[in-house]
Amino acid sequence: MPVSQTPGPGAESRLEVFVLPGIGEIRAGDDLAAIILAAAGPDAALLADGDILAVTSKIVSKAEGRQVAATDREQAITDETVRVVATRAHPGGVTRIVENRQGLVMAAAGVDASNVEHGTVLLLPADPDASARALCSALRSATGLYLGVLITDTVGRPWRDGQTDIAIGAAGVAVLDDLRGTADAHGRRLDVTVAAVADEIAGAADLIKGKTSGNPVAVLRGLGQLVGAIDAEDRGARRLLRDSANDMFRVGSAEAYAEGYAAGLAAAAATADSAAISDSAAETTVVASAEPTQAPQVPSRGTTTA
């Protein structure tokens, strides 16, 4: 039976969220762990065992040198796209929802042109989980504290207006809380409930980090039960990606219609071709059966045969 990581009855339920102030502009090659520790005060006084740090992906990308020259942002989006999910034209251009190289489905492949130098765009970390592991290892080594790290990014969502933050990288944090096999408050068995706790944490952190406040790192305290080994199999944001076999909305509505229409035309053409071949074969058979057979030669009177 799965063991839930949610606090049980009687456990203290208190969540504290705060930002680490004073983190300035990040540039390629910066030691992000050292910068975060400096913001945490002398001897990392603002941090404690079991804390989870939610780090905006933008500063990770900048530190890793993922800022690239791109006079044409659309081309940068194309370069980062693995699969087009949906497109929609609007007066300002075309919105593209795509699957990017990291396996994430999001608008514009996660390519960001805000808060970067003119003529450049910012790509997501090449491997957000690896980035999270490196940062988490450095922070744990420097502080001796049992910390978790989430790398977050902002996305839109199907069926819902507005955007929220999700976890695109994780280390030392359980990203899912599997409640299947446990019972609810009335004793009924839960069969499908798996909480996406890493995304919930990312959303909570975004409430205090904001988009324009210059606070790219938030600390969440009170979720120590989710913090664990850095390399554990259940502690990586890639686990949150739904595989294609279970994705009921793999393409947009217009794309699904176009695919279905094309498939219908192909099926109709194949049926027509098959019918034409059958008709041709039947006609050949009829023609062949209608051809007169050669009459046997009857000897004329007065002739003899050998």
Side-chain angles (χ1 to χ4, degrees), residues 33-234:
I35 291 172
I36 290 173
L37 289 173
D43 300 320
L46 293 180
L47 300 179
D49 262 335
D51 283 351
I52 298 172
L53 283 76
V55 182
T56 301
S57 64
K58 182 167 291 187
I59 66 170
V60 178
S61 292
K62 288 183 176 181
E64 294 180 352
R66 296 282 287 166
Q67 189 166 316
V68 299
T71 54
D72 183 358
R73 178 172 178 257
E74 294 303 313
Q75 184 58 49
I77 296 170
T78 298
D79 293 342
E80 290 299 300
T81 296
V82 172
R83 177 177 63 89
V84 175
V85 175
T87 62
R88 177 164 295 180
H90 54 83
V94 177
T95 295
R96 285 188 278 172
I97 308 299
V98 306
E99 179 183 339
N100 63 18
R101 297 177 184 274
Q102 293 80 3
L104 299 161
V105 174
M106 51 177 45
V111 175
D112 195 347
S114 63
N115 295 313
V116 293
E117 296 177 7
H118 183 70
T120 65
V121 294
L122 196 64
L123 311 181
L124 291 177
D127 185 341
D129 278 335
S131 299
R133 287 193 297 270
L135 182 56
C136 190
S137 295
L139 293 173
R140 286 189 180 190
S141 178
T143 63
L145 298 174
Y146 211 45
L147 304 171
V149 169
L150 295 179
I151 295 175
T152 68
D153 197 58
T154 305
V155 299
R157 302 152 299 157
W159 312 298
R160 307 283 288 181
D161 275 336
Q163 295 81 37
T164 187
D165 270 22
I166 62 169
I168 66 169
V173 182
V175 298
L176 295 169
D177 189 6
D178 192 345
L179 299 172
R180 292 172 298 181
T182 63
D184 67 11
H186 298 279
R188 289 189 291 266
R189 177 186 170 90
L190 299 176
D191 292 319
V192 298
T193 304
V194 182
V197 290
D199 286 347
E200 292 174 331
I201 293 169
D206 187 50
L207 290 173
I208 194 167
K209 285 190 299 179
K211 302 300 182 190
T212 60
S213 60
N215 294 311
V217 180
V219 178
L220 293 94
R221 183 168 297 161
L223 297 171
Q225 75 276 7
L226 299 176
V227 178
I230 291 177
D231 293 324
E233 290 184 1
D234 63 341

Side-chain angles (χ1 to χ4, degrees), residues 27-38:
R27 303 191 181 282
D30 281 351
D31 186 337
L32 201 54
I35 291 172
I36 290 173
L37 289 173

Side-chain angles (χ1 to χ4, degrees), residues 270-282:
T271 300
D273 289 344
S274 178
I277 292 171
S278 297
D279 290 345
S280 177

